[in-house]
């Protein structure tokens, strides 16, 4: 069965709620106050089956100008608008405002009902019809059906239903393959059930027992039960009016504007890059103006940073960054509305392009070009742009930035890899890098190594981690360090291209191995052996060197070389050990663990036969190496 959400729109007292009641048999004004005052204050809901295969969910909105914010919460999920104009009043302020909102939200289909047809004669009805046609000219409702109805006499209701059915069948299904998202429009407690939240499922599908996250409060809950249009269901899919019974969370913690989504997949944000459109009737909007910001069912205050000039003209559009006062789950592709701070009127709206934007320089043409490319590009171009901007990112991070499933990110990344636009170091590496960043890194590795070899000819090469630090780039104020995974992939590529060699932790340019003279070679062996013989009870390095028949400058250089190679290891300022001695130490500690995993200084001295002078630095070394962990006076052998 196809589900379509129909939203009412129009001025107060034009007969929206009465029409929903006449069509569905359900009075959408459910609050006691609404019944008493005879006006709609908050959203109302009803549904109507038109044939076996089509169910319409009605969202009835308040027309009163004071409750436009409630109207906005309802309008965000609709597929089809039912614009209501009373025959005896024709077009009024909230007819215009609601219609503007529908246009700004990108509603694509709808129809107009001229209500209260029983109150006017033919002539007036024809006049109102003409006014409406002029009013919607050039908009998405241009040429849409305009049906005269009376909720009192029932006139025109059948025609209206026929048109509703015809239009509904034209509506494309909402995307069920995206991660699910349910903007909450109501929260209440139900006797015997507990917490219930309702909303229009705008994307994806959700099943009972699913674990959900409530954004932005980062709470998790379990879906105990699902109702779709008041009927129990095992699953709800995008486009359906959905009620979820949640376990594991208090009603008091929840509210309209929060969003249910997959646990851990998304990140709430308070800074978004957008394309912003002002309505022609708005005043010019200044850079850094404060506005009311409405997206999904949420509302907050936001500051508008215009990215293309100091002012946005009425009817104009520009890229902007919105800094929202409260975090919310916003995703690229979401439509939003902005209302003037005071007096509150709808002045514009737009489309969210980037939910994790970097800080921009003002009036930077590169920023506008980037946002234009994001706005116009398909999924592949968009992913490529984001990867290029980040240099590298994980599929999980890209999923949270795009709103796609991680598997979809990986699929598109593979397509881009096939076009040599991105690099994926390994199927399970969790890294996607842009091809240009990868190439730049490779180039910097070679240049840095060249410079290093030139400066230190006696050293075999650079330690991998050291080199990774040296090729970090500065991007504005931020330094960008390649992840170990990506960096190793760069090294591997350069090895394959025969540009460098990697030996253990040391990286060098091909043909740049240290060539020691025969005297240097023999000095190296003597020093090495002296340290090896000394074992753990090693004298101070300078004593060892002094005892050898090698001149001091050369000895120092070779000592340095041995440290670089990691044949010798510096444990403290005075103590240098041969690596074999430290390996023996690790073996001793491992043996000791069989008896007890606790080690104090006395036990260490006993196990190793070393004095306190060695025991303390060596224990600290073991802590650093995470062989042991200090807890007060004892060490735990890990
Ligand atoms: N005569 C007549 N009155 C209507 C009709 N539809 C609604 N009304 C009346 O108009 C008033 C406002 O209707 P309501 O549905 O609450 O308007 P809303 O504010 O747009 O939801 C109520 O007093 C209704 O009884 C109609 O078709 N004919
Ligand atoms: Mg009403």
């Amino acid at each position: 069965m196809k589900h379509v959400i129909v939203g009412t729109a129009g001025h107060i007292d034009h007969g929206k709620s009465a029409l929903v009641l006449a069509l569905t048999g359900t009075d959408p004004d459910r609050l006691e106050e609404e019944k008493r005052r005879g006006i709609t204050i908050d959203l109302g809901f009803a549904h109507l089956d038109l044939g076996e295969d089509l169910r319409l969910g009605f969202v009835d909105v308040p027309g009163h100008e004071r409750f436009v914010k409630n109207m906005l919460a309802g309008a965000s999920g609709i597929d089809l608008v039912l614009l209501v104009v009373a025959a005896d009043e024709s077009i009024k302020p909230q007819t215009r405002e609601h219609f503007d909102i529908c246009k700004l939200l990108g509603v694509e289909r709808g129809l107009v009902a001229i209500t209260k047809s029983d109150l006017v004669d033919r002539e007036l009805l024809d006049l109102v019809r003409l006014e409406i046609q002029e009013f919607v000219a050039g908009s998405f409702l241009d040429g849409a059906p305009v049906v005269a109805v009376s909720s009192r006499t029932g006139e025109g209701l059948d025609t209206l239903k026929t048109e509703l059915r015809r239009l509904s069948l034209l509506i494309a299904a909402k995307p069920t393959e995206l991660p699910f998202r349910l903007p909450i429009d109501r929260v209440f407690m139900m006797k015997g059930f507990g917490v219930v939240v309702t909303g229009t499922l705008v994307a994806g599908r959700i099943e009972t027992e699913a674990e959900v996250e409530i954004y932005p409060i980062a709470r998790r809950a379990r879906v105990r039960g699902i109702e779709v249009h008041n009927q129990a269901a095992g699953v709800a899919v995008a486009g359906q009016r959905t009620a979820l019974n949640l376990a594991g969370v208090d009603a008091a913690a929840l509210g309209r504007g929060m969003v249910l989504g997959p646990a851990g997949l998304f990140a709430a944000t308070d800074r978004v890059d957008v394309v912003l459109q002002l309505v022609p009737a708005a005043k010019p909007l200044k850079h850094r103006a404060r506005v009311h910001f409405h997206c999904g069912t949420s509302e907050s205050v936001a500051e508008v940073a215009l990215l293309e000039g100091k002012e946005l003209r009425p009817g104009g559009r520009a890229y902007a960054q919105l800094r929202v006062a409260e975090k919310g789950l916003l995703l690229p592709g979401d439509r939003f509305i902005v209302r003037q701070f005071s007096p509150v009127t709808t002045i514009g709206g737009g489309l969210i392009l980037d939910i994790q934007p970097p800080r921009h320089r003002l009036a930077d043409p590169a920023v506008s070009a980037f946002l234009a490319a994001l706005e116009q590009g398909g999924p592949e171009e968009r992913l490529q742009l984001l990867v290029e901007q980040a240099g590298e990112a994980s599929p999980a991070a890209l999923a949270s930035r795009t709103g796609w499933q991680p598997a979809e990110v990986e699929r598109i990344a593979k397509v881009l890899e096939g076009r040599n636009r991105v690099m994926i170091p390994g199927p399970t590496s969790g890294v996607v890098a842009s091809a240009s960043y990868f190439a730049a890194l490779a180039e910097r590795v070679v240049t840095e190594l060249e410079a290093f070899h030139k400066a230190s000819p006696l050293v075999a090469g650079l330690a991998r981690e050291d080199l990774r630090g040296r090729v970090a780039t500065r991007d504005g104020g931020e330094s960008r360090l390649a992840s170990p995974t990506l960096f190793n992939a760069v090294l591997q590529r350069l090895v394959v291209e025969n540009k460098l060699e990697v030996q253990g932790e040391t990286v060098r340019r091909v043909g740049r191995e240290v060539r020691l003279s025969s005297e240097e070679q023999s000095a190296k062996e003597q020093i090495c052996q002296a340290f090896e013989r000394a074992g753990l009870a090693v004298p101070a390095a300078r004593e060892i060197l002094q005892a050898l028949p090698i001149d001091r400058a050369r000895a120092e250089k070779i000592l340095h070389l041995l440290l670089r190679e990691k044949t010798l290891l510096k444990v403290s300022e005075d103590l240098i050990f041969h690596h074999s001695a430290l390996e023996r130490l690790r073996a001793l500690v491992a043996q000791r663990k069989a008896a007890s995993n606790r080690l104090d200084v006395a036990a260490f001295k006993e196990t190793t036969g070393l004095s306190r002078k060695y025991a303390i630095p060596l224990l600290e070394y073991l802590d650093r190496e995470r062989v042991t962990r200090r807890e007060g006076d004892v060490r735990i052998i890990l």
Side-chain angles (χ1 to χ4, degrees), residues 206-211 222-226 233-236:
I206 183 164
E207 291 177 26
T208 43
E209 296 305 317
E211 194 194 15
R222 183 172 58 83
V223 177
R224 194 148 54 187
I226 301 179
V235 55

Side-chain angles (χ1 to χ4, degrees), residues 12-13 15-18 28-29 38-41 60-63:
I12 184 164
D13 265 349
K16 295 180 292 300
S17 301
D29 287 341
I39 64 162
T40 307
I41 294 169
D60 182 42
V61 306

Side-chain angles (χ1 to χ4, degrees), residues 10-19 29 38-40 60-61 63 84 115-119 149-153:
H11 200 72
I12 184 164
D13 265 349
H14 277 204
K16 295 180 292 300
S17 301
L19 183 55
D29 287 341
I39 64 162
T40 307
D60 182 42
V61 306
V84 168
T115 49
K116 310 195 189 183
S117 65
D118 55 292
L119 292 184
V149 296
S150 166
S151 302
R152 190 147 295 172
T153 66

